[in-house]
Amino acid sequence: MGTEDTGNNGVVQPQSSRGRERLARILEAATDLFLRDGYGATSIDSILEVSGGSKATLYSYFPTKDDLFRAVVEEVLASSTREPRLDTSADPRTSLIEFSVQRLELLFSPRHHALLRLIIAERDRFPDIAAMFYERAPLRSRGMLAAYFAELERKGVLDPGSSEEAAEFLIGMMVHWWIMRGLLLGESPTPEAIRERATRVVDRFLIAFAKRPREAESDRPIGGGNASGPRAGDAAA
């Protein structure tokens, strides 16, 4: 069977259109079943029952069920990852709101959310896949935000030295409570709720992290105590 290239999922693509269609059907069936039923409850026979074809054909692409599972994760990540825009020349509030909306829409899309649940469920069996997902999804978003905030620091919009912490805080404020409700209760926010939350969180974030005027900074007590005297416990330090 001739081949010509490798797809986003790492699978060598068949040379013929018929072969590519057959591979696409296998991946589509495997994706639907893995995301719906989980790894353990999905058999090769059930995948072939949906996709058609023979075991010989499937095993020519994926020697093991593990290989097929890895290809499915790669396929879902490749197809669901939209590159958000963080334009340092645009208004920071607008850029951060749109970035947050895009990230939340992706995170709570049915396919991506099902993939997250699946990877958590199979983390002990596939630690490499969990690590890959972490690097390609949450860690990537955090890195993009940190780089964006570093540029805002250079422009004097944010306090210097806060880019990494700012990225961590914004993601935590935006995602933590909702993702816990999603994973434990199966809830997903509406598009309207996503935009409302993104706007509210970004506004509060900018109040906390926007660069303060020097006059305000000079009024701060040295050591973090309040203006009326030392904090409780300072005497024991």
Side-chain angles (χ1 to χ4, degrees):
M1 179 173 55
T3 59
E4 55 182 13
D5 60 8
T6 302
N8 291 329
N9 51 27
V11 180
V12 177
Q13 300 298 295
Q15 193 171 43
S16 69
S17 60
R18 182 179 179 183
R20 289 191 295 271
E21 290 172 1
R22 186 182 300 118
L23 175 59
R25 286 197 301 270
I26 292 171
L27 281 172
E28 182 179 0
T31 299
D32 290 343
L33 292 173
F34 280 137
L35 294 183
R36 189 190 72 189
D37 301 333
Y39 177 87
T42 299
S43 66
I44 293 297
D45 287 338
S46 65
I47 292 170
L48 289 173
E49 184 177 348
V50 175
S51 67
S54 66
K55 285 187 178 180
T57 298
L58 186 148
Y59 286 132
S60 70
Y61 299 122
F62 311 103
T64 68
K65 181 180 169 183
D66 288 6
D67 293 324
L68 178 54
F69 182 68
R70 287 186 167 85
V72 162
V73 173
E74 289 276 5
E75 182 76 11
V76 175
L77 277 176
S79 63
S80 65
T81 301
R82 291 185 301 167
E83 193 69 29
R85 294 188 61 189
L86 280 169
D87 186 356
T88 56
S89 65
D91 169 55
R93 179 177 182 271
T94 300
S95 291
L96 287 172
I97 288 173
E98 293 307 313
F99 175 90
S100 299
V101 167
Q102 290 180 33
R103 294 292 86 185
L104 287 172
E105 287 178 343
L106 174 63
L107 181 60
F108 288 101
S109 65
R111 174 172 276 208
H112 190 92
H113 201 50
L115 178 65
L116 177 58
R117 292 196 305 268
L118 178 61
I119 288 175
I120 292 172
E122 298 298 338
R123 179 177 57 87
D124 291 341
R125 193 197 309 259
F126 297 102
D128 59 314
I129 291 181
M132 181 266 290
F133 180 87
Y134 174 72
E135 293 170 1
R136 295 262 298 270
L139 192 62
R140 178 179 174 82
S141 291
R142 186 178 186 274
M144 292 178 65
L145 275 173
Y148 175 72
F149 290 146
E151 181 62 18
L152 293 186
E153 288 178 11
R154 191 186 67 79
K155 293 185 173 185
V157 177
L158 298 183
D159 280 331
S162 64
S163 60
E164 292 288 339
E165 182 184 53
E168 182 179 336
F169 273 48
L170 180 61
I171 292 173
M173 292 165 65
M174 194 73 63
V175 170
H176 176 74
W177 184 245
W178 270 7
I179 198 63
M180 294 305 294
R181 291 180 67 87
L183 290 174
L184 297 176
L185 304 179
E187 297 179 356
S188 294
T190 65
E192 294 77 16
I194 284 175
R195 182 160 293 276
E196 189 276 334
R197 182 176 183 84
T199 301
R200 186 175 71 254
V201 168
V202 167
D203 283 344
R204 293 182 178 180
F205 168 84
L206 289 175
I207 290 172
F209 279 89
K211 185 174 177 64
R212 295 171 175 82
R214 288 186 176 275
E215 293 78 10
E217 291 178 358
S218 64
D219 292 338
R220 294 181 190 171
I222 296 175
N226 57 49
S228 61
R231 295 175 298 175
D234 284 350

mmCIF file of all heavy atoms in Angstrom, residues 6 23 36 42 51 53 66 76 81 91 99 102 109 114-115 117 119 121 140-141 163 166 174 179 195 199 218 234:
data_model
loop_
_atom_site.group_PDB
_atom_site.id
_atom_site.type_symbol
_atom_site.label_atom_id
_atom_site.label_comp_id
_atom_site.label_asym_id
_atom_site.label_seq_id
_atom_site.Cartn_x
_atom_site.Cartn_y
_atom_site.Cartn_z
ATOM 1 N N THR A 6 2.408 12.279 6.215
ATOM 2 C CA THR A 6 1.908 12.015 7.551
ATOM 3 C C THR A 6 0.961 13.121 7.950
ATOM 4 O O THR A 6 1.279 14.302 7.804
ATOM 5 C CB THR A 6 3.076 11.928 8.556
ATOM 6 O OG1 THR A 6 3.970 10.900 8.133
ATOM 7 C CG2 THR A 6 2.574 11.620 9.951
ATOM 8 N N LEU A 23 -9.460 5.372 5.941
ATOM 9 C CA LEU A 23 -8.795 5.794 7.173
ATOM 10 C C LEU A 23 -9.635 6.829 7.920
ATOM 11 O O LEU A 23 -9.764 6.773 9.151
ATOM 12 C CB LEU A 23 -7.418 6.374 6.842
ATOM 13 C CG LEU A 23 -6.639 6.977 8.008
ATOM 14 C CD1 LEU A 23 -6.398 5.938 9.101
ATOM 15 C CD2 LEU A 23 -5.312 7.559 7.519
ATOM 16 N N ARG A 36 -17.455 8.791 23.596
ATOM 17 C CA ARG A 36 -18.756 8.468 24.190
ATOM 18 C C ARG A 36 -18.663 7.396 25.264
ATOM 19 O O ARG A 36 -19.226 7.527 26.355
ATOM 20 C CB ARG A 36 -19.727 8.010 23.100
ATOM 21 C CG ARG A 36 -21.171 7.845 23.585
ATOM 22 C CD ARG A 36 -22.016 7.157 22.537
ATOM 23 N NE ARG A 36 -21.686 5.727 22.409
ATOM 24 C CZ ARG A 36 -22.156 4.949 21.441
ATOM 25 N NH1 ARG A 36 -22.941 5.457 20.499
ATOM 26 N NH2 ARG A 36 -21.817 3.662 21.408
ATOM 27 N N THR A 42 -14.642 0.468 24.577
ATOM 28 C CA THR A 42 -14.629 0.514 23.111
ATOM 29 C C THR A 42 -13.718 -0.583 22.571
ATOM 30 O O THR A 42 -12.530 -0.638 22.903
ATOM 31 C CB THR A 42 -14.135 1.884 22.612
ATOM 32 O OG1 THR A 42 -15.010 2.907 23.087
ATOM 33 C CG2 THR A 42 -14.091 1.930 21.092
ATOM 34 N N SER A 51 -17.497 1.734 11.239
ATOM 35 C CA SER A 51 -16.736 2.274 10.102
ATOM 36 C C SER A 51 -16.777 1.385 8.878
ATOM 37 O O SER A 51 -16.582 1.853 7.752
ATOM 38 C CB SER A 51 -15.271 2.473 10.513
ATOM 39 O OG SER A 51 -14.629 1.227 10.753
ATOM 40 N N GLY A 53 -15.157 -2.123 6.863
ATOM 41 C CA GLY A 53 -13.785 -2.539 6.603
ATOM 42 C C GLY A 53 -13.394 -3.743 7.438
ATOM 43 O O GLY A 53 -14.195 -4.304 8.189
ATOM 44 N N ASP A 66 -4.011 0.845 21.392
ATOM 45 C CA ASP A 66 -3.349 2.016 21.972
ATOM 46 C C ASP A 66 -2.924 3.002 20.893
ATOM 47 O O ASP A 66 -3.058 4.221 21.062
ATOM 48 C CB ASP A 66 -2.115 1.586 22.769
ATOM 49 C CG ASP A 66 -2.470 0.887 24.075
ATOM 50 O OD1 ASP A 66 -3.672 0.632 24.305
ATOM 51 O OD2 ASP A 66 -1.549 0.595 24.855
ATOM 52 N N VAL A 76 -8.288 14.932 17.488
ATOM 53 C CA VAL A 76 -9.214 15.865 18.140
ATOM 54 C C VAL A 76 -8.495 17.160 18.496
ATOM 55 O O VAL A 76 -9.021 18.262 18.280
ATOM 56 C CB VAL A 76 -9.839 15.232 19.387
ATOM 57 C CG1 VAL A 76 -10.702 16.253 20.140
ATOM 58 C CG2 VAL A 76 -10.683 14.031 19.004
ATOM 59 N N THR A 81 -8.165 22.949 17.807
ATOM 60 C CA THR A 81 -7.319 24.025 18.291
ATOM 61 C C THR A 81 -7.372 25.202 17.331
ATOM 62 O O THR A 81 -6.867 25.135 16.220
ATOM 63 C CB THR A 81 -5.852 23.557 18.445
ATOM 64 O OG1 THR A 81 -5.812 22.464 19.346
ATOM 65 C CG2 THR A 81 -4.979 24.681 18.962
ATOM 66 N N ASP A 91 -6.404 47.409 21.945
ATOM 67 C CA ASP A 91 -6.812 47.661 23.318
ATOM 68 C C ASP A 91 -6.706 46.373 24.133
ATOM 69 O O ASP A 91 -7.301 45.351 23.762
ATOM 70 C CB ASP A 91 -8.254 48.176 23.320
ATOM 71 C CG ASP A 91 -8.847 48.216 24.712
ATOM 72 O OD1 ASP A 91 -8.234 48.846 25.578
ATOM 73 O OD2 ASP A 91 -9.915 47.611 24.919
ATOM 74 N N PHE A 99 -9.879 36.760 23.606
ATOM 75 C CA PHE A 99 -9.059 35.570 23.872
ATOM 76 C C PHE A 99 -9.780 34.649 24.851
ATOM 77 O O PHE A 99 -9.864 33.432 24.640
ATOM 78 C CB PHE A 99 -7.706 35.995 24.452
ATOM 79 C CG PHE A 99 -6.827 34.849 24.871
ATOM 80 C CD1 PHE A 99 -5.933 34.285 23.977
ATOM 81 C CD2 PHE A 99 -6.878 34.345 26.164
ATOM 82 C CE1 PHE A 99 -5.113 33.219 24.361
ATOM 83 C CE2 PHE A 99 -6.069 33.290 26.554
ATOM 84 C CZ PHE A 99 -5.178 32.731 25.656
ATOM 85 N N GLN A 102 -12.804 32.861 23.282
ATOM 86 C CA GLN A 102 -12.385 31.760 22.397
ATOM 87 C C GLN A 102 -11.914 30.552 23.206
ATOM 88 O O GLN A 102 -12.243 29.407 22.879
ATOM 89 C CB GLN A 102 -11.272 32.234 21.477
ATOM 90 C CG GLN A 102 -11.727 33.225 20.416
ATOM 91 C CD GLN A 102 -10.568 33.663 19.536
ATOM 92 O OE1 GLN A 102 -9.635 32.905 19.269
ATOM 93 N NE2 GLN A 102 -10.624 34.897 19.081
ATOM 94 N N SER A 109 -16.665 23.162 24.417
ATOM 95 C CA SER A 109 -17.263 22.530 23.253
ATOM 96 C C SER A 109 -17.435 21.041 23.553
ATOM 97 O O SER A 109 -16.620 20.445 24.270
ATOM 98 C CB SER A 109 -16.381 22.723 22.016
ATOM 99 O OG SER A 109 -15.139 22.056 22.177
ATOM 100 N N ALA A 114 -15.381 16.369 26.168
ATOM 101 C CA ALA A 114 -15.374 14.912 26.252
ATOM 102 C C ALA A 114 -13.950 14.372 26.223
ATOM 103 O O ALA A 114 -13.617 13.407 26.935
ATOM 104 C CB ALA A 114 -16.190 14.316 25.102
ATOM 105 N N LEU A 115 -13.090 14.988 25.413
ATOM 106 C CA LEU A 115 -11.695 14.566 25.357
ATOM 107 C C LEU A 115 -11.004 14.796 26.700
ATOM 108 O O LEU A 115 -10.251 13.935 27.176
ATOM 109 C CB LEU A 115 -10.952 15.331 24.256
ATOM 110 C CG LEU A 115 -9.456 15.013 24.129
ATOM 111 C CD1 LEU A 115 -9.243 13.568 23.705
ATOM 112 C CD2 LEU A 115 -8.795 15.970 23.136
ATOM 113 N N ARG A 117 -12.370 14.835 29.689
ATOM 114 C CA ARG A 117 -12.839 13.811 30.632
ATOM 115 C C ARG A 117 -12.181 12.470 30.349
ATOM 116 O O ARG A 117 -11.798 11.739 31.273
ATOM 117 C CB ARG A 117 -14.367 13.682 30.544
ATOM 118 C CG ARG A 117 -15.134 14.881 31.050
ATOM 119 C CD ARG A 117 -16.597 14.525 31.301
ATOM 120 N NE ARG A 117 -17.230 13.957 30.124
ATOM 121 C CZ ARG A 117 -17.885 14.666 29.218
ATOM 122 N NH1 ARG A 117 -17.982 15.982 29.355
ATOM 123 N NH2 ARG A 117 -18.450 14.091 28.177
ATOM 124 N N ILE A 119 -9.236 11.864 28.887
ATOM 125 C CA ILE A 119 -7.813 11.872 29.226
ATOM 126 C C ILE A 119 -7.622 11.780 30.736
ATOM 127 O O ILE A 119 -6.719 11.083 31.231
ATOM 128 C CB ILE A 119 -7.138 13.136 28.656
ATOM 129 C CG1 ILE A 119 -7.026 12.993 27.133
ATOM 130 C CG2 ILE A 119 -5.763 13.355 29.269
ATOM 131 C CD1 ILE A 119 -6.495 14.209 26.435
ATOM 132 N N ALA A 121 -9.688 10.294 32.795
ATOM 133 C CA ALA A 121 -10.043 8.921 33.161
ATOM 134 C C ALA A 121 -8.930 7.932 32.833
ATOM 135 O O ALA A 121 -8.742 6.938 33.544
ATOM 136 C CB ALA A 121 -11.334 8.513 32.450
ATOM 137 N N ARG A 140 0.031 25.716 26.745
ATOM 138 C CA ARG A 140 0.188 26.578 25.572
ATOM 139 C C ARG A 140 -0.556 27.898 25.766
ATOM 140 O O ARG A 140 -0.023 28.972 25.469
ATOM 141 C CB ARG A 140 -0.332 25.855 24.330
ATOM 142 C CG ARG A 140 -0.259 26.678 23.049
ATOM 143 C CD ARG A 140 -0.768 25.851 21.871
ATOM 144 N NE ARG A 140 -0.839 26.628 20.659
ATOM 145 C CZ ARG A 140 0.182 26.874 19.868
ATOM 146 N NH1 ARG A 140 1.372 26.399 20.166
ATOM 147 N NH2 ARG A 140 0.033 27.600 18.774
ATOM 148 N N SER A 141 -1.779 27.823 26.275
ATOM 149 C CA SER A 141 -2.546 29.046 26.522
ATOM 150 C C SER A 141 -1.850 29.928 27.550
ATOM 151 O O SER A 141 -1.789 31.153 27.400
ATOM 152 C CB SER A 141 -3.957 28.692 27.004
ATOM 153 O OG SER A 141 -4.716 28.103 25.976
ATOM 154 N N SER A 163 4.282 39.015 34.584
ATOM 155 C CA SER A 163 3.642 38.367 33.434
ATOM 156 C C SER A 163 3.250 36.914 33.718
ATOM 157 O O SER A 163 2.139 36.495 33.387
ATOM 158 C CB SER A 163 4.552 38.436 32.207
ATOM 159 O OG SER A 163 5.788 37.778 32.456
ATOM 160 N N ALA A 166 0.479 36.873 36.292
ATOM 161 C CA ALA A 166 -0.748 37.414 35.706
ATOM 162 C C ALA A 166 -1.439 36.373 34.833
ATOM 163 O O ALA A 166 -2.666 36.232 34.868
ATOM 164 C CB ALA A 166 -0.426 38.668 34.890
ATOM 165 N N MET A 174 -10.758 32.655 35.352
ATOM 166 C CA MET A 174 -11.673 32.420 34.241
ATOM 167 C C MET A 174 -12.238 30.998 34.247
ATOM 168 O O MET A 174 -13.410 30.775 33.941
ATOM 169 C CB MET A 174 -10.938 32.677 32.916
ATOM 170 C CG MET A 174 -11.836 32.787 31.706
ATOM 171 S SD MET A 174 -12.748 34.338 31.681
ATOM 172 C CE MET A 174 -11.405 35.522 31.545
ATOM 173 N N ILE A 179 -14.843 24.781 35.295
ATOM 174 C CA ILE A 179 -14.367 23.472 34.860
ATOM 175 C C ILE A 179 -14.691 22.416 35.904
ATOM 176 O O ILE A 179 -14.984 21.259 35.570
ATOM 177 C CB ILE A 179 -12.855 23.483 34.542
ATOM 178 C CG1 ILE A 179 -12.468 22.258 33.685
ATOM 179 C CG2 ILE A 179 -12.011 23.507 35.789
ATOM 180 C CD1 ILE A 179 -13.121 22.206 32.348
ATOM 181 N N ARG A 195 -19.430 35.001 27.411
ATOM 182 C CA ARG A 195 -19.003 36.387 27.146
ATOM 183 C C ARG A 195 -19.156 37.255 28.389
ATOM 184 O O ARG A 195 -18.301 38.091 28.677
ATOM 185 C CB ARG A 195 -19.778 36.974 25.968
ATOM 186 C CG ARG A 195 -19.334 38.399 25.607
ATOM 187 C CD ARG A 195 -19.734 38.784 24.217
ATOM 188 N NE ARG A 195 -19.031 38.000 23.206
ATOM 189 C CZ ARG A 195 -17.803 38.308 22.767
ATOM 190 N NH1 ARG A 195 -17.151 39.361 23.245
ATOM 191 N NH2 ARG A 195 -17.234 37.565 21.841
ATOM 192 N N THR A 199 -15.926 39.078 30.201
ATOM 193 C CA THR A 199 -15.894 40.531 30.400
ATOM 194 C C THR A 199 -15.690 40.881 31.868
ATOM 195 O O THR A 199 -14.853 41.725 32.213
ATOM 196 C CB THR A 199 -17.202 41.162 29.883
ATOM 197 O OG1 THR A 199 -17.362 40.852 28.493
ATOM 198 C CG2 THR A 199 -17.184 42.674 30.061
ATOM 199 N N SER A 218 4.227 55.060 45.942
ATOM 200 C CA SER A 218 5.002 55.652 47.026
ATOM 201 C C SER A 218 4.224 55.709 48.315
ATOM 202 O O SER A 218 4.797 55.838 49.400
ATOM 203 C CB SER A 218 5.444 57.062 46.626
ATOM 204 O OG SER A 218 4.309 57.904 46.460
ATOM 205 N N ASP A 234 3.942 40.923 63.180
ATOM 206 C CA ASP A 234 5.224 41.478 62.739
ATOM 207 C C ASP A 234 6.237 41.528 63.882
ATOM 208 O O ASP A 234 7.429 41.377 63.673
ATOM 209 C CB ASP A 234 5.024 42.886 62.181
ATOM 210 C CG ASP A 234 4.409 42.876 60.790
ATOM 211 O OD1 ASP A 234 4.331 41.775 60.221
ATOM 212 O OD2 ASP A 234 4.031 43.949 60.280
#
